[in-house]
């Protein structure tokens, strides 16, 4: 709202954008009031044209304004002040700060990423599936599981849609899903969330190099036409084995790349190949989940891959083991019980084609595409060790006061 003498200028926001409303009578309006306006669309005077808005050449002369819902006085200015808030405060007021055009814009971009993924998955001949998020055990082994009370039993939140999409390969051959994944990983970093959104494809009758071709082409097409502050560098994506990457950046061989290693190899890829992407393959077999195919030429290395983008891993995947006996053997060697994978193994007992797949992390891709400082900015309502909608510490204090505990 801008008051100029007897005229009041209002920026009215709706799903289509912003339009300037001109009001000649005094109005008791606050920021974020929900209003209904009837009026006449006029051409703005030449000196009043706003070239920064698609609607900047016109305005609406209001005849009537009907207030549908009153807003309380805002806790902070929704202009530049909202963007300068500390991230925890920004998230404390999430339902309000999401209304800011720049913050809202993050999720308009994210919606476009998902739309592009859907379109490309369909072009690959994939069928959409919906998978459970309540599971009976670990998808990939390990202890990073959220246990939940399931009637008189214990169940878990899924770490990945992996096993279910593999089971669907003999049915549809190619499938895709957008699914939630949960990791009880005790870490608070700028690149980790407790709940993430995964964009997955699983493809039958494919081999390793074909999978690499598909995921790289998909990654490029997903971001190519999305408007961002920094244009994505799209040269030919270099492919390196883990050992090759470690030699290039002169670090000691290890089972994975550290966060700084990922930054360094991406910097090399952009400088040497003009690509913001780089594909890393052949991670140690024992460092990958039990269903990952070992390289026939060197079983210590696996037919696995990560796609890095601007210094962060945004995708992982592999060629999968499709032999029942090998899977059972791997499960046992990893210290797990095949009985806990009964439904999954059933699919392999009765014929599974050569297959593989990959999973994009939606929030990480959004974060790096828009050069955000923290992955929480790329999650509508982020979950981490410190927050489930509200800060867990403040919630505990509130409960403590209500129950009289100190």
């Amino acid at each position: 709202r801008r008051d100029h003498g007897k005229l009041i200028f209002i920026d009215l926001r709706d799903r289509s954008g912003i339009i300037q409303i001109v009001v000649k009578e005094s109005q008791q309006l606050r920021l974020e009031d929900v209003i209904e306006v009837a009026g006449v669309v006029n051409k703005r005077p030449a000196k009043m044209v706003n070239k920064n808005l698609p609607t900047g050449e016109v305005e609406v002369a209001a005849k009537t304004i009907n207030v549908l819902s009153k807003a309380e006085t805002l806790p902070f200015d929704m202009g530049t002040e909202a963007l300068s808030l500390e991230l925890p405060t920004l998230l404390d007021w999430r339902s309000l700060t999401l209304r800011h055009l720049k913050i809202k814009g993050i999720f308009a971009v994210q919606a476009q990423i998902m739309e592009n993924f859907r379109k490309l998955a369909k072009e690959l001949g994939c069928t959409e599936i919906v998978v459970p998020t309540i599971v009976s055990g670990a998808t990939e082994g390990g202890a990073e599981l959220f246990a939940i009370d399931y009637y008189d039993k214990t169940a878990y939140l899924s770490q990945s849609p992996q096993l279910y999409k593999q089971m669907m390969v003999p049915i549809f051959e190619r499938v895709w899903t957008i699914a939630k994944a949960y990791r009880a990983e005790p870490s608070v970093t700028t690149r980790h969330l407790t709940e993430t959104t995964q964009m997955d494809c699983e493809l039958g009758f494919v081999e390793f190099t074909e999978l690499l071709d598909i995921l790289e082409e998909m990654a490029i097409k997903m971001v190519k036409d999305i408007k961002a502050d920094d244009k994505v560098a799209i040269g030919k994506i270099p492919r390196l084995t883990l050992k090759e990457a470690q030699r290039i950046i002169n670090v000691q061989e290890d089972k994975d790349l550290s966060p700084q290693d990922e930054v360094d190899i991406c910097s090399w890829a952009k400088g040497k190949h003009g690509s913001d992407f780089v594909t890393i393959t052949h991670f140690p077999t024992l460092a990958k989940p039990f269903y990952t195919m070992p390289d026939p030429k060197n079983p210590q290395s696996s037919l696995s891959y990560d796609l890095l983008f601007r210094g962060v891993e945004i995708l992982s995947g592999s060629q999968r083991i499709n032999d029942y006996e090998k899977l059972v053997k791997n499960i046992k060697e990893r210290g797990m019980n095949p009985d806990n994978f009964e439904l999954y193994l059933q699919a392999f007992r009765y014929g599974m084609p050569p297959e593989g797949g990959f999973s994009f992390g939606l929030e990480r891709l959004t974060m790096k595409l828009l050069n955000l400082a923290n992955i929480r900015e790329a999650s509508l309502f982020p979950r981490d060790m410190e927050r489930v909608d509200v800060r867990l510490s403040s919630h505990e204090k509130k409960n403590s006061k209500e129950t009289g505990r100190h």
Side-chain angles (χ1 to χ4, degrees):
R1 171 178 174 155
R2 299 176 298 282
D3 289 37
H4 293 282
K6 294 183 178 180
L7 291 180
I8 300 170
F9 295 92
I10 295 169
D11 285 341
L12 184 65
R13 180 186 79 241
D14 71 3
R15 62 188 170 86
S16 66
I18 290 178
I19 189 74
Q20 179 170 278
I21 310 294
V22 184
V23 185
K24 291 186 177 179
E25 298 177 5
S26 177
Q27 294 285 330
Q28 298 300 314
L29 294 176
R30 286 178 173 170
L31 298 181
E32 296 302 314
D33 279 355
V34 181
I35 64 175
E36 176 185 69
V37 178
V40 178
V41 180
N42 294 322
K43 195 168 185 177
R44 287 200 201 187
K47 63 180 182 179
M48 300 295 290
V49 169
N50 184 347
K51 294 181 180 179
N52 296 320
L53 284 178
T55 57
E57 294 184 357
V58 296
E59 61 190 14
V60 176
K63 288 186 178 269
T64 62
I65 295 180
N66 180 26
V67 179
L68 304 177
S69 176
K70 293 290 293 181
E72 294 183 9
T73 302
L74 300 184
F76 42 77
D77 179 73
M78 280 289 282
T80 54
E81 186 183 347
L83 293 178
S84 65
L85 294 173
E86 295 286 331
L87 183 57
T89 306
L90 202 71
L91 296 177
D92 288 343
W93 294 94
R94 194 58 161 167
S95 64
L96 179 58
T97 55
L98 282 168
R99 301 181 190 187
H100 191 287
L101 289 179
K102 189 161 186 179
I103 298 172
K104 170 186 171 184
I106 293 169
F107 299 99
V109 167
Q110 192 168 88
Q112 189 61 54
I113 291 171
M114 287 189 286
E115 184 62 28
N116 290 353
F117 171 78
R118 289 186 182 98
K119 179 173 178 285
L120 293 164
K122 290 175 183 177
E123 288 176 1
L124 279 172
C126 297
T127 299
E128 183 178 9
I129 58 172
V130 179
V131 300
T133 53
I134 298 175
V135 297
S136 60
T139 305
E140 301 175 2
E144 296 166 2
L145 285 165
F146 284 106
I148 59 173
D149 292 332
Y150 195 72
Y151 303 104
D152 60 342
K153 303 289 190 298
T154 299
Y156 304 91
L157 294 180
S158 174
Q159 296 170 305
S160 160
Q162 179 62 39
L163 305 189
Y164 294 101
K165 61 178 184 162
Q166 283 188 267
M167 285 188 268
M168 295 303 295
V169 168
I171 293 98
F172 288 119
E173 190 177 317
R174 293 186 169 195
V175 296
W176 70 273
T177 189
I178 297 178
K180 290 292 187 180
Y182 303 87
R183 296 287 173 124
E185 199 171 8
S187 62
V188 181
T189 75
T190 59
R191 54 194 271 162
H192 288 95
L193 289 170
T194 299
E195 178 185 75
T196 61
T197 310
Q198 304 301 121
M199 301 184 293
D200 281 54
C201 285
E202 197 75 12
L203 313 171
F205 300 101
V206 291
E207 296 190 356
F208 185 62
T209 53
E210 186 180 2
L211 285 163
L212 297 179
D213 292 339
I214 289 170
L215 73 89
E216 289 173 356
E217 183 179 8
M218 202 168 191
I220 288 171
K221 288 182 176 179
M222 278 170 63
V223 303
K224 195 170 186 179
D225 298 324
I226 293 178
K227 292 181 181 178
D229 292 338
D230 289 347
K231 191 173 181 181
V232 177
I234 301 176
K236 180 170 174 52
I237 298 178
R239 292 178 187 173
L240 304 167
T241 65
L242 176 64
K243 289 183 178 181
E244 288 171 339
Q246 289 167 335
R247 281 198 292 268
I248 286 171
I249 58 176
N250 196 27
V251 297
Q252 187 175 350
E253 286 188 9
D254 198 358
K255 64 180 182 180
D256 204 351
L257 296 173
S258 71
Q260 186 58 50
D261 294 342
E262 291 181 350
V263 171
D264 292 343
I265 199 63
C266 282
S267 177
W268 170 86
K270 186 167 184 179
K272 184 86 172 175
H273 296 273
S275 173
D276 273 326
F277 295 98
V278 57
T279 303
I280 310 297
T281 68
H282 291 83
F283 292 84
T285 301
L286 291 178
K288 288 295 179 179
F290 69 86
Y291 48 76
T292 306
M293 177 82 79
D295 185 348
K297 298 176 183 176
N298 176 16
Q300 302 304 310
S301 292
S302 61
L303 297 181
S304 58
Y305 37 79
D306 285 358
L307 182 67
L308 310 185
F309 177 55
R310 291 180 172 174
V312 168
E313 173 212 323
I314 59 159
L315 169 148
S316 64
S318 69
Q319 179 87 30
R320 323 296 191 192
I321 295 172
N322 65 312
D323 180 87
Y324 172 76
E325 298 295 340
K326 288 181 181 177
L327 270 178
V328 171
K329 182 172 178 286
N330 264 17
I331 290 170
K332 289 178 178 177
E333 287 179 350
R334 302 292 180 101
M336 297 182 289
N337 185 350
D339 291 344
N340 295 333
F341 297 86
E342 181 181 359
L343 187 65
Y344 172 73
L345 291 171
Q346 183 185 98
F348 294 83
R349 286 175 62 195
Y350 298 104
M352 176 68 70
E355 59 99 7
F358 47 84
S359 177
F360 286 95
L362 176 63
E363 291 85 3
R364 282 193 179 185
L365 178 53
T366 306
M367 174 180 71
K368 298 312 293 185
L369 181 61
L370 298 179
N371 287 318
L372 304 175
N374 194 304
I375 195 169
R376 287 153 189 78
E377 296 178 71
S379 175
L380 273 174
F381 302 102
R383 270 78 173 114
D384 58 27
M385 287 186 70
E386 299 173 341
R387 180 181 299 275
V388 177
D389 285 344
V390 298
R391 293 189 222 190
L392 298 176
S393 56
S394 63
H395 194 61
E396 287 169 1
K397 285 179 184 176
K398 183 180 178 182
N399 287 342
S400 177
K401 287 180 181 177
E402 289 175 352
T403 57
R405 288 185 286 109
H406 300 286

